[in-house]
Amino acid sequence: EMDGDQYPAGGDVITAIDGIKVDTMSDLIAYLTENKRPGDVTELEILRDGGQRASIDVTLAARPDLGPRPPS
């Protein structure tokens, strides 16, 4: 549960990056694309499985190339 809403989750859920609230994966990717580069350290606020909140510092790596995607 986060802010009174139920979310299915199995592990950590990112709730903010560098103090900026993240609502969707698109929000997270947009922030990273516009503001960060591989090697940068960033702070993630997470909600741990079990409901505990935590802040962690992570060092970013390059996003892996997943190759061509099939048409949708």
Side-chain angles (χ1 to χ4, degrees), residues 13-51:
V13 176
I14 298 170
T15 59
I17 183 168
D18 293 335
I20 298 170
K21 186 177 178 184
V22 173
D23 290 318
T24 66
M25 184 65 145
S26 295
D27 291 344
L28 178 63
I29 292 170
Y31 178 84
L32 290 170
T33 301
E34 294 170 12
N35 298 286
K36 298 292 180 174
R37 298 288 174 256
D40 288 351
V41 175
T42 192
E43 180 185 34
L44 298 179
E45 294 175 34
I46 59 172
L47 181 62
R48 296 253 173 194
D49 197 11

